[in-house]
Amino acid sequence: MSTTPDGADPDGAGPEGADPGGAVPDGTRRLRLLQLASLTSTVDRFAIAPLLVPIAASFSAPLAAAAGAAGGYFLAYGLMQVVWGVLSDRIGRVRVMRLALVGAVLGGVASVLAPTLAVLVVARVVTGACTAALIPAALVYVGDTWPAAVRQRPLSDLLAATALGTAVATAGAGLLADLAGWRVVLGTTAAGCAVLFVALRALPEPDGARTTSRGIVDAVLRPLAAVAGNRWARLVLVLAFVEGAVVLGVLTYLAPSLQAGGSSAALAGLAAGGYGVGAVLFSRVVRRLVGRLRPAALAAVGGGFLVVAWVFPLVVVHPVTIAAAGLCLGGAWAFLHSTLQTWATEVVPQARATAVALFATLLFLGSSAGTALGAPLADAGRFAPLFAAALVASVPLALVAARTRARYARRAT
């Protein structure tokens, strides 16, 4: 892997400086395509939350069974991260994304045509396994190309794209489901994957992204050993797992908590869409604060947002409190997650793709665990204990993330 610090845009807008011939940097164009990949993956992933109640009603199944479509997706998404990471080292970041998109389109079509809930769950598992390649490949692409000093800026731009995708998915999916049915929503996300497949033809591979290593030791075991042997890397992975459970896992039930009280899928999706709005807005704030605030301070602000977020639905489940919770969760994602994500790209630079892949693996395994553990409570309509558990877990996550990131910075200097 390589970076290109010379001539880098100080604002992180583009990785390449002008060459002696005066060529115009194309970093902005590359970043836009990477943002499109992140947005597409996120829309597909988060569209399912406001669809769980309509899906359960469609198949006359309990909500806990329908939640398997979300939990299975997250589980496959997490487990495939390392596979796609290793493959991207062998054949390239862009090739991996385009290959995965073929499977995502097929899984999306199968989801639309699913005659039973079991078939739908399998189809969503396949889709999640394939869309799993997109965001990690985009992250590693940034790590390959942008220098560490400004890397959190393009990473925050990717985060803004994922946040926008979340807002579009949670708000738009519920509305579209009310108007045309949940199958149309999944068909729309499959079409988006097909469009992205074509668009990525314009994205060049980063220099040095492909390895020439031979055999399983060089390709897999050595990078895994490098990450596993680094105590800071292990810590980042544990934090990613907890964050996945507390943020993404429990976030799945914001919309259903409103629907349980009689709200429509459209209203529930719009309220839960506060998460995407918050992440979009606060990611722009983070971009401006990078270099002005230390990473530990950014993590502390994000942890504060996370703790406050779960207080709102504990007071009362109402569209306003759910929207406020979502807004604060978006702030937590922008400040805390972007800090952890950037940390993952630098903690083991000689095995960056593997570290990022494992980070995403643990994040979405945590998300799957949070979704699965919350399903029985959600099915019973007991959302207060679910949100209380998220609050209790958020406090140590916030404290440990901020304190250990500060310690890492001191030891790195």
Side-chain angles (χ1 to χ4, degrees), residues 64-292:
Y73 185 109
F74 293 146
L75 180 62
Y77 196 105
L79 291 175
M80 284 298 293
Q81 299 295 319
V82 174
V83 176
W84 291 120
V86 171
L87 192 57
S88 76
D89 274 343
R90 301 304 294 262
I91 69 174
R93 318 301 183 209
V94 181
R95 287 185 180 179
V96 151
M97 286 192 280
R98 298 192 77 216
L99 174 64
L101 283 165
V102 174
V105 171
L106 294 176
V109 171
S111 300
V112 173
L113 302 177
T116 66
L117 180 58
V119 173
L120 175 64
V121 170
V122 171
R124 297 318 294 163
V125 168
V126 171
T127 308
C130 293
T131 56
L134 300 180
I135 292 180
L139 294 174
V140 177
Y141 194 110
V142 170
D144 288 337
T145 312
W146 272 263
V150 296
R151 191 175 295 151
Q152 192 163 354
R153 289 173 181 159
L155 287 176
S156 70
D157 287 335
L158 290 186
L159 193 64
T162 63
L164 178 61
T166 303
V168 169
T170 52
L175 179 60
L176 187 56
D178 276 353
L179 295 175
W182 60 266
R183 294 180 190 271
V184 174
V185 176
L186 300 183
T188 302
T189 61
C193 290
V195 171
L196 179 62
F197 174 83
V198 176
L200 287 181
R201 291 186 302 179
L203 183 65
E205 290 286 355
D207 294 337
R210 294 172 61 184
T211 66
T212 57
S213 61
R214 303 284 182 181
I216 190 69
V217 173
D218 285 339
V220 181
L221 298 184
R222 189 166 295 163
L224 285 175
V227 176
N230 186 301
R231 69 187 185 93
W232 292 109
R234 294 195 301 269
L235 172 65
V236 173
L237 296 181
V238 171
L239 293 174
F241 181 87
V242 178
E243 183 192 31
V246 172
V247 180
L248 298 181
V250 185
L251 174 66
T252 304
Y253 296 110
L254 285 182
S257 69
L258 279 176
Q259 290 168 290
S263 297
S264 67
L267 177 59
L270 285 170
Y275 166 79
V277 174
V280 169
L281 294 177
F282 288 116
S283 67
R284 310 315 297 166
V285 176
V286 170
R287 196 180 193 280
R288 292 181 178 275
L289 292 177
V290 170
R292 300 180 183 179

